[in-house]
Amino acid sequence: MKPIQVTRSSMPAFEEYMEEIKVLWESHWLTNMGEKHKLLEAELTHYLNTPNVTLFTNGHTALECAIAALNLTGEVITTPFTFASTTHAIVRNGLKPVFCDINENDYTLDVNKLEMLITDQTSAIIPVHVYGNICNVNEIERIAKKFNLKVIYDAAHAFGITVNGEGVANFGDASMFSFHATKVFNTIEGGAVTFRNPNLRKVLNDLKNFGITGPESVEYVGGNAKMNEFQAAMGICNLRHIDDEIMKRKAVVRRYRENLSGIKGIKLCQIQLGVKSNNSYFPVVFEDYKLNRDEIYELLKEHHIIARKYFYPLTNSIDCYKDRFNSNDTPVAKYIAERVLTLPLYADLALEDVDRICEIIIECQPNKKEYLIIPNELGRTVSNKIIINS
Ligand code: T4K
């Protein structure tokens, strides 16, 4: 049996992609801000309903460049309940991450604990719209203004979300989106930065192209973070189908909610008022449930269903930062990280499979098909696990 993975990349029809890239065999222009790149940038500006978008080869380098472009210094407040990328991007810019705890409703930065972490060294806040749950953007903006701090959102999970009709790309000084293969919208690998100040465009574009500012001048120590034409072509195709993809995901999420709501010990994320979701992840927290998170993970695996422990361990306790930070400083994040499991979610996940996944979680029974019932010498039966599907 083919396992059900936590997600599956959305792809256009093969012929559609072939048609899109055909022209590259005529132009021989494969990267360095070509025609596909320009077109996708324009289309995303429209789709995200935001004035300024610039593309990158992936979300991580996009975030690194956004931090560099805003000239941050000293300390940056962020959360540890995220992918390693968020913290790495801060550290790789020579800055110190200061970890704020998350709130227990939507797992985004707890704005009530933010001000107490601000020092005279703080230059910015990098909150995460984790799972596509939108941070308390109004309160973050108020605090940032009060202390003259920059705000960059890690919006890796938040593609296309709106809050009371406003595109999520318009919050803060900048936002980073990931277009990785596992995301709602993908360009194979890819990412973008959206930004408020139009002057940032040139800096961001220079930073992703070695810091080259003219034919004979290199003004910044930049890297190479350009999206290539094949990535952009995939984005152009996928963008044509994005609304349909999100609709299908919505049906999957609705089914999970119908099946799992109101079950003692199973906590689902609160639905955020005014937020038009992209249904990117389906996290479930197991609190004093019949089985703990790790047992549910193993049980699902036994049934060939591969859920994931996003985001465990916390970034303030991953190996490379072990002796530098203490996860006990962020107790809510620690609590959630030890109990959360993100269930399989993608546009073409069959609703029958969603039902089956939920049934396994609710019934907590081992995979009977993998057990062979054999009588023992006393005439009783014992079950021996055998692998019939490898
Ligand atoms: N900030 C946040 C909050 C993020 O979550 C991420 C990335 C970033 C920043 C950085 O953005 P990028 O630089 O990646 O654009 C995955 C993704 O690689 C990563 O993009 C994502 N977050 C993270 C949450 O998940 P893994 O190591 O768990 O992926 P992997 O390879 O185990 O794939 C998961 C499942 O997805 C597979 O079991 C099957 C499916 N899949 C995977 C690939 C690679 C596909 O269907 N097609 C594919 O091509 O990190």
Side-chain angles (χ1 to χ4, degrees):
M1 186 193 286
K2 215 171 159 201
I4 296 179
Q5 301 288 348
V6 68
T7 193
R8 198 178 77 176
S9 296
S10 295
M11 296 172 82
F14 179 69
E15 295 73 21
E16 184 180 349
Y17 186 61
M18 288 299 121
E19 190 56 36
E20 197 62 50
I21 60 173
K22 217 168 166 181
V23 64
L24 303 178
W25 267 258
E26 289 152 27
S27 69
H28 289 250
W29 192 275
L30 307 184
T31 186
N32 287 12
M33 285 72 83
E35 291 303 317
K36 299 289 173 198
H37 184 286
K38 282 184 203 142
L39 180 60
L40 181 62
E41 215 164 68
E43 288 186 350
L44 286 174
T45 304
H46 178 73
Y47 187 83
L48 295 172
N49 201 9
T50 194
N52 302 306
V53 179
T54 185
L55 301 177
F56 284 83
T57 193
N58 58 52
H60 178 77
T61 49
L63 185 56
E64 282 198 9
C65 287
I67 294 170
L70 284 168
N71 278 320
L72 305 188
T73 55
E75 298 175 2
V76 173
I77 301 175
T78 186
T79 62
F81 190 69
T82 181
F83 198 51
S85 167
T86 322
T87 305
H88 285 351
I90 296 167
V91 173
R92 285 167 60 86
N93 268 286
L95 304 167
K96 181 180 170 196
V98 172
F99 292 102
C100 183
D101 209 352
I102 58 172
N103 75 69
E104 58 191 24
N105 298 322
D106 57 28
Y107 318 137
T108 64
L109 187 144
D110 185 346
V111 288
N112 299 315
K113 296 178 180 167
L114 180 54
E115 278 200 45
M116 64 179 87
L117 298 171
I118 297 172
T119 70
D120 56 2
Q121 296 294 305
T122 311
S123 63
I125 311 166
I126 303 190
V128 184
H129 298 309
V130 67
Y131 305 134
N133 290 340
I134 304 306
C135 302
N136 186 339
V137 289
N138 293 335
E139 190 57 10
I140 290 171
E141 184 167 345
R142 186 190 68 76
I143 295 170
K145 263 200 184 130
K146 181 173 163 191
F147 292 92
N148 195 23
L149 305 176
K150 298 272 191 261
V151 179
I152 303 175
Y153 284 103
D154 180 331
H157 303 172
F159 183 80
I161 295 176
T162 60
V163 183
N164 299 320
E166 175 78 89
V168 74
N170 296 317
F171 300 124
D173 295 282
S175 294
M176 175 280 286
F177 293 86
S178 164
F179 305 152
H180 183 261
T182 53
K183 297 295 188 290
V184 169
F185 167 72
N186 85 75
T187 58
I188 309 172
E189 289 268 5
V193 175
T194 58
F195 47 97
R196 186 174 285 169
N197 180 350
N199 297 333
L200 275 183
R201 181 178 297 280
K202 184 163 169 13
V203 187
L204 284 162
N205 286 348
D206 293 343
L207 279 171
K208 70 176 155 190
N209 189 25
F210 307 100
I212 296 172
T213 51
E216 294 179 10
S217 61
V218 184
E219 285 179 42
Y220 309 100
V221 185
N224 180 359
K226 293 163 280 149
M227 178 181 281
N228 71 50
E229 292 291 276
F230 291 84
Q231 291 174 282
M234 183 62 111
I236 291 165
C237 294
N238 279 336
L239 200 58
R240 288 187 194 119
H241 308 283
I242 189 71
D243 291 338
D244 193 35
E245 290 286 309
I246 293 175
M247 284 280 285
K248 286 177 169 175
R249 283 173 168 268
K250 191 175 173 181
V252 172
V253 165
R254 192 186 300 132
R255 192 66 155 245
Y256 269 129
R257 283 195 175 274
E258 281 166 10
N259 288 339
L260 295 177
S261 291
I263 295 176
K264 199 166 169 282
I266 292 184
K267 181 180 160 185
L268 309 181
C269 266
Q270 266 181 22
I271 294 175
Q272 295 185 303
L273 285 177
V275 172
K276 188 164 167 262
S277 172
N278 64 4
N279 304 292
S280 53
Y281 289 86
F282 196 78
V284 174
V285 169
F286 295 93
E287 281 181 318
D288 304 321
Y289 189 57
K290 290 181 267 186
L291 298 180
N292 67 33
R293 185 272 309 271
D294 291 347
E295 289 165 337
I296 294 281
Y297 171 83
E298 292 299 334
L299 176 70
L300 288 169
K301 204 163 151 195
E302 201 176 284
H303 288 263
H304 310 285
I305 292 154
I306 316 298
R308 293 293 284 267
K309 300 175 193 176
Y310 296 136
F311 288 98
Y312 173 86
L314 295 176
T315 66
N316 55 7
S317 63
I318 53 181
D319 300 337
C320 54
Y321 300 129
K322 222 162 209 161
D323 298 323
R324 290 175 62 182
F325 308 108
N326 188 346
S327 60
N328 292 324
D329 294 342
T330 52
V332 177
K334 190 172 181 194
Y335 180 90
I336 299 297
E338 285 167 358
R339 290 166 179 78
V340 73
L341 202 57
T342 50
L343 300 182
L345 172 54
Y346 45 91
D348 289 328
L349 181 61
L351 296 182
E352 298 72 46
D353 284 328
V354 176
D355 290 343
R356 192 161 62 84
I357 293 166
C358 296
E359 201 179 299
I360 294 165
I361 291 172
I362 292 166
E363 293 187 353
C364 294
Q365 293 299 319
N367 187 358
K368 293 195 188 81
K369 284 195 199 118
E370 288 198 350
Y371 282 77
L372 177 68
I373 308 299
I374 48 167
N376 67 9
E377 66 276 13
L378 298 171
R380 295 198 191 105
T381 57
V382 291
S383 56
N384 272 3
K385 190 175 178 199
I386 56 156
I387 303 298
I388 54 171
N389 305 304
S390 57

